[in-house]
Amino acid sequence: MACKLSPAAIEAFGLLLIVVSIFVVTDQNGWPTAASIPPLVGAYLCIAANNQRSWLRFNVFQQLGLWSYAIYLVHWPILAYLAKFFSQEMLSTAFLVIMLACIFALGAIMHFTVERSRAYGYKFLALYLILLGGSFGAASADGFPQRVQNQLYYWQFATYVDGPFPRDALAHKLGNSSQQPSFLLAGDSFSRHYISDFIDRGFTFIAITQPGCYSAHSYYVSTPDAVPEYYKNCPLLYTDLLREAKQHPDIPIIRAQRWGEEYDEVIKRNQTGKEERVPMTTEVVQQDLYGMAQDFKGHDVYIILLPRNYDQPYGNRQALFNLKLLDNTVSNAIARRIIGNNSATIDSHEVNRILIATIEDIQKRGLIKDAQGKGSMHYIDTSPAYCHGPQGNECELLVDGVYPRFDPTGHFTWAGSIAPNSLILKEIGLPQGRVRTDFSPRDVPHFDD
């Protein structure tokens, strides 16, 4: 005889699916992948069970259910406001409690004053049609042009510009081919987000870059989503950098990278060609820095720290101002206080601390100096270019109040890279070049290979 499950058992299984999903579903494997099925099925089972004796029928849960859609509607504007005026360092427990209380309170108010009244008469219909027509009108005009000067070119400066430049982990001369290069720039996509402004300033330099590629003295790896034909070139990035440094011994080397957190595993360089995969740890970063000091003796090397407001210790890889990230940041901040941090990767703050400590040790011990006493290694923190205040936590996430400083993946936009580039050039002792102070079209960045 078939076993018939009780409503309580069905509901319990549905709740179990939902609870498990809290721990296993992340931004990387969530909607719209198969990982979104368990919480959906769990919610369906809880409803379908229709358990008359469920504790979910308690009045407090019933009220939250009634208010849920209104809460969903009001939470987004609140997060948008917080994203514009507050930084992640302010997401304390008290701050989160107050914010959640505001969201629930406003949701309840909207439920009783709007949703529950259901006063959908002709006035409501007329207002709806007016707003709908206004939305279509604004969309057809590309928004409100008076908000942004040179609206046509807004996205040229408001995004991470990556497309025009080679991305094959090989050396390319960018800028004016008739000029001598001023510096070497090497790394993954976190080196590429400086390129547009460097070219716009009139610099000529050698770029050796590949998105999603970690390539250093002892280890290398490409991220799983790297373009297949570029994957095989990742080990060559460091090799090309060594070759170009020997050919240009007197120009500074700038190394910018997602140090650590993006790469869960790395491949140890082995003379026999046999791959040995090991976890990415702080020791890996340290070994590669000491290896760079050995390989680039006599050169001036500048390591760019991960930028402030690029914070990803719990799987978030987007700038804080991005609304979706703030939504995730709030969720993760709450989760950290409930279940703690079980992340296996090293976060940006820890990486920066390791970079600073290791570079200071290399410089103090003179490990990068050659027999003539030449050579140095320094770190550059770009955050002072746009973060201020007593603790450096007040960060300007919009340029001219309009252009986002970061794109949704945590890269500097073209407009956002201008201030950091000015700081970098000052640190390495080069002139500022032609600094863009307006966002009207000028020479589009190009490269001569």
Side-chain angles (χ1 to χ4, degrees), residues 208-425:
I208 311 169
T209 65
Q210 180 188 313
C213 171
Y214 179 88
S215 184
H217 172 82
S218 301
Y219 303 90
Y220 73 90
V221 72
S222 284
T223 54
D225 58 350
V227 180
E229 57 266 31
Y230 298 151
Y231 178 90
K232 64 180 184 297
N233 283 346
C234 184
L236 304 179
L237 189 151
Y238 192 74
T239 305
D240 259 28
L241 178 59
L242 282 169
R243 188 187 70 248
E244 292 295 329
K246 290 179 180 179
Q247 294 179 4
H248 304 87
D250 298 323
I251 62 176
I253 299 169
I254 303 173
R255 186 71 198 268
Q257 186 80 38
R258 289 187 197 248
W259 296 98
E261 49 70 47
E262 177 76 1
Y263 309 98
D264 295 334
E265 285 187 333
V266 288
I267 300 173
K268 187 174 179 63
R269 294 183 185 274
N270 194 317
Q271 298 298 327
T272 64
K274 182 179 179 181
E275 289 190 354
E276 179 185 354
R277 291 184 174 272
V278 298
M280 167 59 86
T281 63
T282 55
E283 287 75 17
V284 166
V285 176
Q286 287 178 301
Q287 287 181 36
D288 278 332
L289 285 175
Y290 285 118
M292 286 185 67
Q294 172 186 326
D295 293 337
F296 294 95
K297 282 185 179 293
H299 294 270
D300 292 323
V301 178
Y302 296 85
I303 305 296
I304 310 298
L305 304 184
L306 286 172
R308 182 76 59 87
N309 279 81
Y310 171 75
D311 185 64
Q312 67 297 328
Y314 307 102
N316 287 314
R317 293 184 172 92
Q318 299 181 2
L320 178 63
F321 75 90
N322 178 268
L323 302 185
K324 186 177 185 299
L325 171 65
L326 184 59
D327 199 358
N328 296 332
T329 300
V330 171
S331 301
N332 287 328
I334 296 171
R336 292 200 299 273
R337 287 163 172 78
I338 297 174
I339 62 176
N341 173 27
N342 60 358
S343 174
T345 57
I346 46 180
D347 66 67
S348 61
H349 301 296
E350 183 181 359
V351 169
N352 282 346
R353 288 193 296 269
I354 293 298
L355 291 173
I356 292 171
T358 307
I359 292 168
E360 287 180 344
D361 182 61
I362 289 171
Q363 187 67 6
K364 181 180 179 180
R365 295 165 59 188
L367 299 180
I368 198 171
K369 292 185 180 298
D370 62 11
Q372 289 73 42
K374 293 177 57 179
S376 63
M377 182 178 287
H378 307 276
Y379 67 87
I380 299 178
D381 180 5
T382 60
S383 62
Y386 56 92
C387 294
H388 314 287
Q391 296 181 331
N393 292 334
E394 300 174 11
C395 299
E396 299 171 356
L397 298 180
L398 293 175
V399 179
D400 286 358
V402 173
Y403 300 89
R405 190 171 299 280
F406 295 93
D407 85 333
T409 61
H411 296 91
F412 285 121
T413 64
W414 182 349
S417 69
I418 294 175
N421 275 0
S422 293
L423 189 151
I424 291 171
L425 291 169

Side-chain angles (χ1 to χ4, degrees), residues 96-116:
L96 290 169
V97 170
I98 294 172
M99 180 200 65
L100 289 173
C102 291
I103 290 175
F104 279 92
L106 286 175
I109 292 172
M110 174 174 281
H111 170 74
F112 286 108
T113 59
V114 179
E115 185 179 17
R116 191 175 178 181

Side-chain angles (χ1 to χ4, degrees), residues 64-81 102-116 120 124 323 327:
L64 286 176
L66 290 173
W67 302 348
S68 61
Y69 186 65
I71 291 172
Y72 165 76
L73 292 177
V74 302
H75 92 285
W76 195 248
I78 292 176
L79 293 182
Y81 176 86
C102 291
I103 290 175
F104 279 92
L106 286 175
I109 292 172
M110 174 174 281
H111 170 74
F112 286 108
T113 59
V114 179
E115 185 179 17
R116 191 175 178 181
Y120 303 150
F124 179 88
L323 302 185
D327 199 358

